[in-house]
Amino acid sequence: MKSFSHTLGRIGLAVLVATIAMAPRPASAQDASDAQMGAMKEYLVNAFERFKTWDVSMALAIPDSALRWAPNEDVRDFAEQVEHGANNLFVASAAFGEEPPGGFGDSAVILNDKQALADAVARSYDWIIERMKRLSTEELAEEVTFFGRPMTRWRVCTFALEHAMWTRGQLVPYLHAHGVPVPQQQLF
């Protein structure tokens, strides 16, 4: 006699197979590609929105006295690191073939004023998010040149997210060195 859990397992498997069989299927490879690119676009917009919130909170978390602090002279100070991580101009020129209006802003002001830095970070992300929303699925899948290599637009944008995550992670010791807790992570 088969065990109850074995029977439940077989029922679960049958339900899974039936669900997959009844799932709508794209009518063509192009429909599948459009669906995939639509899902990628939604992911990218959501990720840039989360990263905007996260990076603005990082910029505002540091004490004013530590805005230009660096652990040594061979690395960027806090403000420069925030600017570097959130400055999406390289994404704009590669993925969209254009510069955001006004660029990132006046570094002399942004790097010396915490609120100006946070505002510049928000503007940079806002431009990327709005530009991303206007992309068609076909445009998102097109190849562009990025650092001399052919790459799809969606991959350039995922690189920007990877770069932002890497750079943001480098800010954690800066905050800890000044007794500042790391702002709430925006992972989802």
Side-chain angles (χ1 to χ4, degrees):
M1 177 177 241
K2 295 184 180 178
S3 72
F4 181 70
S5 62
H6 177 76
T7 303
L8 279 180
R10 292 194 58 126
I11 292 170
L13 180 59
V15 169
L16 176 63
V17 169
T19 302
I20 291 170
M22 292 186 304
R25 290 190 173 39
S28 69
Q30 183 59 45
D31 290 343
S33 177
D34 286 346
Q36 290 169 337
M37 285 299 99
M40 176 57 75
K41 180 178 173 178
E42 183 179 334
Y43 164 78
L44 289 168
V45 167
N46 179 274
F48 280 116
E49 287 172 344
R50 287 182 296 108
F51 280 24
K52 171 190 168 185
T53 300
W54 203 354
D55 286 352
V56 167
S57 66
M58 294 286 272
L60 293 173
I62 199 77
D64 290 332
S65 61
L67 188 61
R68 298 308 306 265
W69 179 85
N72 62 56
E73 63 188 43
D74 296 329
V75 298
R76 292 180 181 97
D77 64 39
F78 182 86
E80 291 168 332
Q81 191 69 357
V82 170
E83 178 190 39
H84 176 74
N87 188 341
N88 290 308
L89 298 180
F90 73 96
V91 175
S93 62
F96 306 131
E98 60 189 85
E99 294 290 328
F104 196 71
D106 181 0
S107 289
V109 174
I110 292 167
L111 296 177
N112 292 296
D113 180 285
K114 186 167 62 170
Q115 188 61 55
L117 178 62
D119 292 345
V121 167
R123 276 193 316 275
S124 179
Y125 276 107
D126 285 344
W127 187 83
I128 291 292
I129 291 163
E130 288 309 309
R131 187 62 181 86
M132 178 69 60
K133 287 178 179 178
R134 292 194 319 256
L135 278 182
S136 69
T137 56
E138 294 82 16
E139 289 172 318
L140 194 58
E142 287 176 349
E143 281 198 351
V144 296
T145 301
F146 189 60
F147 289 112
R149 299 178 56 186
M151 193 175 290
T152 58
R153 279 192 172 95
W154 69 263
R155 182 60 188 104
V156 173
C157 292
T158 59
F159 175 85
L161 295 173
E162 293 165 3
H163 176 264
M165 183 64 84
W166 169 264
T167 306
R168 186 179 309 108
Q170 293 172 331
L171 292 172
V172 171
Y174 289 63
L175 294 169
H176 286 176
H178 295 281
V180 176
V182 178
Q184 178 66 44
Q185 299 170 350
Q186 303 294 319
L187 296 175
F188 309 102

